[in-house]
Amino acid sequence: MTKLSSQSGTESGSDNDSSNPYIGPRSFRKDPNDQSRFFGRDTEKDEIISRIMSHRLTLVYAQSGAGKTSIFNAEIIPALENEGFEVLPMPRVAITQLKPADNAYIYNALLYIRDTVEDNLIRKKIDTQSLSELSLFEFLDYNFPVKRNENTNSTPQVLIFDQLEDLFTHFPNNWIEQRKDFFEQISDSLDNNPLLRVVFIIREDYLAQLDPYRSIVPEKLRPSFRLEKLRRDEATLAITGPLMGIIKNLSQEEVEGIKLEVDELVNDLLKTYLELPNGDVQQLEGEFVEPIHLQVVCRKWWNERTQKETTEKNKLKQEGISNVDNALEEFYDRAVDVAKNIGSTEKKIRNWCEEKLITPSGTRSIIHRSTSSTEGMDNKVVDSLEGQYLIRREWRSGSPWYELTHDRLVKPIKDSNKKWELQKTKFRRSLLRKRVIIPIIAAIVIVTSLIAISTQNKVEQKDMVIQSLELVNQGWRSYNLGDKKEAWEKFDAALELDPNNEDASFGKAYILHDLRNFTGAMYYYDKALAVDPNDILTLYDKGVALDNL
C-alpha cells in the first residue's frame, strides 16, 4: 500500500517544514508555500475584495485568533494583485520609537513601511528622508507614486493597516489630538489620490473606540466586514484542501480513511460545553472552530500519520480524541513556557489558568482585568497568554474581561496540569528516597569515625546523633504509611536529640507543606537550610512554598 506522504524526510518540527501541509500556531505569511496551504475562506475573500474595490476605505474586524492577518497574507493580497492593484507594504501604528514627531502614530507607521519594503531602492530613498516631519500623503506621494501599467492606465493602490487596535493601546503626548490627526491624514491621503484604497484591520473588541472618528473618514466606516471563525464546512475544507496534492497518490481505501479522520477531528474541535442550572455539564456541538487550534491539531495529526507504518493506522483511528487533546495540551504547554519567562513561575501560571479560567464544573469562566493584574496574575503575563491565543479579551460594559479562546481547551489544560504535577511529584519522591538512605549512610560513617573515641562524653554525643537519625527514618516510614501525626512526633523527637538534624527539620516542613501550611513550612525549610544551604530538595520545596504564599 502507498505511504501517506509522497514526500520523503522526517518532520523537523519547525513551522517552516514544507513536508507538513499545516503551519501550526502562527499566522499565514505572504509566500507561495503558505498560500498554497490556505483553504476554506473563499466566500470571505470575495466579500472583502468586493468592498475594497467598491469603496475608498474598508473596515475588517474579527475576534482575536479568527485569522485576520492570515486571510490577507494568503488570499486577499494575492487576489488584489491579480486584479491589477499595487499593494503597498502593510504598516502598523504601534509606537516602538518615541522620537518627537508631528504624529507618533503616523511616524511609526512610516517606519514600519520602511523596515518591511522589499525594494532596496525605495528603502534607500526613504532612509534619506526626515520621516517625523512628513505627512502620510507626502510620504506615499514621494515614495510610492502612482504607476502606469502596460496599457498606460494608472495602477490603483491599496494601503492595509494591520492590527489597528494598536492605535488605542499606545498613549503618546497629546494622544487625543494625534489620534484625530491620524484619521484626518487618512482622509487627506484618500482625497489627494483617487486611486488609493485604505483598509483597516482591527480586533472586534476595539470596534467601539472607532466611533468618535467615523465622521472624519469617507462613508463613516460603513463599508465593513466581520470575519467569523471557521464553521464546519470551512474547517473541513481547511483540513482537506492542503492534502489535495498528497491524497491523489493514495488508494481509495486510504482516502476514505483520511476523510473519516478529518470528520472526527472537526467533530472534536467543534465540541463545546454548557453548564446546566443543576450544575451538570452538557456537551454540545458548537458553531465555530478556532483557526489556530485547527492548525495546531492538524499539524500534530499529520506528523503522527506520516511517521506511523500502515499496519498501525487502525490504532491511530481508535486514538481519535486523544490526538486532539494531546495537540491542545502541547499548545497550552507552549503558551505557559513562553509566559513564565515574562515574570512568573510555571506553577503559578498553571494554577491561575485552571482555577481562574475554568469553573469548578468544568466550563469556561470569565475574569476581569484590573490596572496591573488580572485575578492575581501580572498583566504582562496575561498579555503573553493572550498573544499566544490561549485567552481572549472582550470588552463588557466598558471594561476588559478574559476567557479561554474555546471550551475545547478546558480538558487539555486540566490534563496537562495533572501530568506536570505528577512529574514534579516523581522528582520529589526520587529525592526523598535518597533522603531516607543518606541518614543511614551518615550513621555508619559517624559510627566508624567515632569507634576510636573513648571519652564518655563523645560516646553519648554519638549515641544521640545516631538515635536522632533513626527517628528520622522511623518518621519517613510513618509518613509513607499515611500517619502524618506519628511522623511529626518522630521528627520532633529527632530534633530534641539533635537540633542540627536538617532531615528532621525538612520532614516537619514537608508535612506542613503537604497540609498547605506554607508559612509554617517556610520556618522549617529555613532551619534545614541553615545547616545545609545547598540542599537541592529543600531549596526546590521552599521555592514552591514561596510561590503559594
Side-chain angles (χ1 to χ4, degrees):
M1 296 181 70
T2 312
K3 288 226 175 187
L4 288 168
S5 175
S6 60
Q7 295 162 314
S8 61
T10 59
E11 169 65 14
S12 68
S14 72
D15 291 342
N16 296 319
D17 181 16
S18 59
S19 68
N20 191 306
Y22 307 103
I23 65 168
R26 65 168 175 82
S27 298
F28 282 79
R29 300 178 181 129
K30 289 186 291 185
D31 67 70
N33 187 42
D34 273 18
Q35 291 165 357
S36 67
R37 295 187 279 180
F38 189 88
F39 289 86
R41 291 294 202 181
D42 286 347
T43 300
E44 293 88 339
K45 176 193 71 175
D46 292 341
E47 290 283 350
I48 293 172
I49 290 176
S50 174
R51 284 165 173 74
I52 293 173
M53 295 179 69
S54 304
H55 303 277
R56 291 190 294 165
L57 178 58
T58 302
L59 175 67
V60 178
Y61 61 96
Q63 288 184 323
S64 173
K68 302 181 293 296
T69 301
S70 290
I71 191 174
F72 270 84
N73 285 340
E75 289 260 73
I76 304 298
I77 290 176
L80 286 170
E81 290 173 341
N82 289 337
E83 292 288 342
F85 282 83
E86 179 190 6
V87 180
L88 304 180
M90 293 173 63
R92 289 183 57 183
V93 298
I95 296 177
T96 58
Q97 293 195 27
L98 295 174
K99 179 180 178 179
D102 293 338
N103 189 302
Y105 301 113
I106 293 293
Y107 173 62
N108 280 272
L110 304 188
L111 288 177
Y112 203 87
I113 292 175
R114 180 199 67 185
D115 294 339
T116 57
V117 66
E118 297 178 358
D119 191 319
N120 288 328
L121 292 177
I122 295 178
R123 184 182 295 112
K124 290 179 180 178
K125 184 179 179 182
I126 295 174
D127 284 338
T128 65
Q129 302 164 22
S130 179
L131 299 184
S132 61
E133 299 175 1
L134 290 178
S135 68
L136 177 62
F137 168 70
E138 291 170 336
F139 175 84
L140 295 177
D141 188 53
Y142 185 63
N143 298 294
F144 299 94
V146 174
K147 300 177 182 177
R148 294 190 177 275
N149 59 26
E150 56 188 13
N151 297 321
T152 70
N153 295 322
S154 298
T155 302
Q157 297 175 319
V158 180
L159 181 63
I160 303 167
F161 284 86
D162 193 14
Q163 300 185 36
L164 191 68
E165 61 268 14
D166 290 337
L167 188 70
F168 304 107
T169 59
H170 293 78
F171 300 87
N173 293 332
N174 302 320
W175 58 271
I176 296 177
E177 292 81 2
Q178 291 200 41
R179 286 181 186 173
K180 181 181 178 182
D181 181 66
F182 170 83
F183 290 99
E184 289 174 345
Q185 291 202 39
I186 294 293
S187 184
D188 289 343
S189 298
L190 290 168
D191 289 341
N192 284 297
N193 182 0
L195 293 174
L196 178 65
R197 299 289 184 268
V198 173
V199 180
F200 290 157
I201 306 174
I202 193 170
R203 270 173 35 186
E204 188 174 57
D205 44 317
Y206 286 90
L207 199 58
Q209 299 199 46
L210 290 170
D211 288 349
Y213 310 103
R214 289 179 180 269
S215 61
I216 299 175
V217 295
E219 300 181 84
K220 299 182 179 181
L221 290 176
R222 280 190 288 265
S224 61
F225 182 81
R226 182 179 187 269
L227 183 68
E228 294 181 332
K229 290 173 283 187
L230 298 168
R231 296 179 183 271
R232 171 179 286 278
D233 291 344
E234 294 172 329
T236 300
L237 187 56
I239 300 174
T240 57
L243 301 178
M244 294 301 182
I246 297 175
I247 62 177
K248 65 181 181 181
N249 298 319
L250 304 182
S251 68
Q252 186 62 34
E253 180 184 357
E254 289 173 314
V255 172
E256 292 301 320
I258 289 177
K259 288 181 179 179
L260 289 174
E261 290 179 35
V262 169
D263 287 342
E264 185 177 354
L265 288 172
V266 174
N267 288 337
D268 204 331
L269 288 165
L270 280 169
K271 285 180 181 176
T272 188
Y273 300 91
L274 174 67
E275 185 173 357
L276 302 176
N278 63 1
D280 292 340
V281 176
Q282 180 180 358
Q283 180 181 293
L284 302 171
E285 180 178 303
E287 191 175 4
F288 298 106
V289 171
E290 293 280 339
I292 195 165
H293 293 173
L294 180 143
Q295 289 295 327
V296 167
V297 168
C298 289
R299 186 171 180 83
K300 181 176 176 62
W301 166 64
W302 196 255
N303 284 346
E304 293 179 351
R305 243 189 168 280
T306 55
Q307 290 168 6
K308 288 181 178 289
E309 294 295 330
T310 304
T311 55
E312 295 181 292
K313 288 178 188 174
N314 290 333
K315 179 182 177 183
L316 183 64
K317 288 181 185 178
Q318 294 170 2
E319 289 174 357
I321 187 172
S322 66
N323 183 286
V324 175
D325 284 339
N326 291 340
L328 292 178
E329 281 181 37
E330 291 179 6
F331 172 72
Y332 168 62
D333 291 342
R334 179 172 177 171
V336 172
D337 192 53
V338 172
K340 72 181 182 183
N341 295 318
I342 304 297
S344 187
T345 64
E346 184 166 357
K347 182 177 179 64
K348 187 174 181 180
I349 295 172
R350 287 178 176 274
N351 287 345
W352 184 82
C353 288
E354 184 164 349
E355 295 171 6
K356 303 300 183 182
L357 297 173
I358 301 174
T359 66
S361 57
T363 58
R364 282 188 294 175
S365 179
I366 184 166
I367 56 178
H368 179 256
R369 177 186 175 111
S370 299
T371 304
S372 60
S373 65
T374 302
E375 289 292 330
M377 183 61 67
D378 188 296
N379 279 342
K380 291 180 180 178
V381 178
V382 176
D383 290 341
S384 174
L385 295 174
E386 182 183 8
Q388 297 290 315
Y389 301 104
L390 184 72
I391 58 176
R392 176 183 294 119
R393 186 191 316 197
E394 292 188 0
W395 288 85
R396 302 189 181 190
S397 302
S399 299
W401 296 75
Y402 285 106
E403 65 179 354
L404 291 172
T405 52
H406 199 277
D407 288 310
R408 193 61 187 80
L409 285 169
V410 170
K411 185 177 183 295
I413 286 175
K414 297 178 77 171
D415 289 347
S416 174
N417 285 354
K418 286 179 182 177
K419 292 175 183 177
W420 186 83
E421 286 287 354
L422 180 61
Q423 183 181 19
K424 297 300 179 185
T425 300
K426 287 180 178 178
F427 171 72
R428 294 172 70 195
R429 285 178 179 173
S430 68
L431 291 177
L432 283 174
R433 284 195 292 271
K434 295 178 183 178
R435 187 174 286 278
V436 173
I437 295 170
I438 288 172
I440 298 174
I441 297 173
I444 295 171
V445 172
I446 291 171
V447 171
T448 303
S449 63
L450 293 177
I451 287 176
I453 300 176
S454 58
T455 64
Q456 184 63 31
N457 197 33
K458 289 188 176 179
V459 170
E460 290 176 359
Q461 185 180 3
K462 171 200 72 174
D463 290 340
M464 292 175 65
V465 171
I466 293 174
Q467 289 175 36
S468 180
L469 291 171
E470 178 55 34
L471 284 167
V472 168
N473 287 330
Q474 293 174 15
W476 284 118
R477 282 195 291 270
S478 298
Y479 179 86
N480 290 330
L481 291 172
D483 193 340
K484 294 177 184 176
K485 182 175 181 296
E486 183 175 319
W488 179 272
E489 292 172 352
K490 295 293 185 183
F491 294 141
D492 208 27
L495 283 173
E496 286 184 13
L497 291 172
D498 180 10
N500 292 323
N501 190 328
E502 59 168 305
D503 296 298
S505 295
F506 176 85
K508 296 184 76 171
Y510 195 81
I511 292 173
L512 292 170
H513 189 130
D514 210 21
L515 296 172
R516 302 190 69 78
N517 181 352
F518 299 111
T519 302
M522 287 291 297
Y523 172 77
Y524 285 103
Y525 284 139
D526 286 338
K527 285 194 68 173
L529 289 170
V531 180
D532 184 0
N534 299 315
D535 184 84
I536 183 173
L537 182 56
T538 307
L539 288 168
Y540 173 82
D541 278 0
K542 180 183 177 181
V544 175
L546 276 170
D547 190 37
N548 282 280
L549 284 177

